[in-house]
Amino acid sequence: MIAIGSDHAGFEYKEKIKQLLDTMKIAYQDFGTNSTASCDYPDFAHAVAESVSSNKSQCGILICGTGIGMAITANKHLGVRAANVESKGAAIWARAHNDANILCVGARLTEWETVAEIVKIFLSTAFEGGRHEMRIKKIHSLTNL
Ligand code: RB5
């Protein structure tokens, strides 16, 4: 199960990503928002991050204008590694080296065709493990977050 959420700026991309997930036959839970009416991105970032942090969802996707506010908020949650991704290359490394479990994208910064590729890469690239395993542990060691 994938947790997905956006604010108003990311709403249209969220709907398009849901269509993409449908074609890929990947199940998701939509945490809103449900329109382009102005709203606060932390509300949706917290909901998606809580779902990932508690293992109700295996990973998450968050979309706002830049991806920045979503990533900052989601990374406050225990066990969450949210990556703000603007390129296909970053999508590969976020998974392979950082074991990112939430993908954040900026609808105002990244064109749709690239976002669609980023989503597909994020969902199909495995964590390499090995030397990166200890580095992941160090991310969470300081504050137990
Ligand atoms: C909303 O205007 C915008 O601030 C939000 O979508 C996001 O970019 C914040 O990081």
Side-chain angles (χ1 to χ4, degrees):
M1 177 69 74
I2 293 177
I4 187 166
S6 76
D7 70 354
H8 54 289
F11 172 72
E12 286 172 7
Y13 273 21
K14 175 168 68 66
E15 297 307 299
K16 290 171 96 162
I17 292 171
K18 284 162 55 184
Q19 289 175 14
L20 182 61
L21 295 175
D22 285 338
T23 65
M24 297 168 79
K25 302 200 185 316
I26 293 175
Y28 55 82
Q29 183 175 358
D30 184 353
F31 287 86
T33 189
N34 299 314
S35 76
T36 54
S38 184
C39 59
D40 301 331
Y41 62 82
D43 296 341
F44 308 96
H46 282 310
V48 166
E50 191 283 327
S51 185
V52 173
S53 178
S54 61
N55 292 314
K56 293 186 201 98
S57 301
Q58 67 191 63
C59 65
I61 300 174
L62 286 165
I63 314 100
C64 63
T66 61
I68 296 169
M70 291 298 199
I72 291 172
T73 308
N75 277 317
K76 301 294 183 190
H77 288 252
L78 182 72
V80 164
R81 293 177 298 282
N84 191 19
V85 172
E86 293 185 23
S87 69
K88 294 191 278 182
I92 294 170
W93 301 122
R95 285 290 313 128
H97 285 194
N98 309 115
D99 199 16
N101 52 17
I102 296 185
L103 170 68
C104 301
V105 292
R108 291 174 178 161
L109 298 179
T110 310
E111 63 182 13
W112 166 248
E113 289 73 20
T114 302
V115 169
E117 291 302 312
I118 286 170
V119 169
K120 285 187 240 175
I121 291 167
F122 183 81
L123 296 177
S124 63
T125 305
F127 177 47
E128 281 180 15
R131 68 189 186 281
H132 301 293
E133 195 80 51
M134 181 54 66
R135 294 169 185 166
I136 296 303
K137 288 199 175 90
K138 285 188 175 184
I139 291 173
H140 299 286
S141 64
L142 189 61
T143 61
N144 291 322
L145 287 175

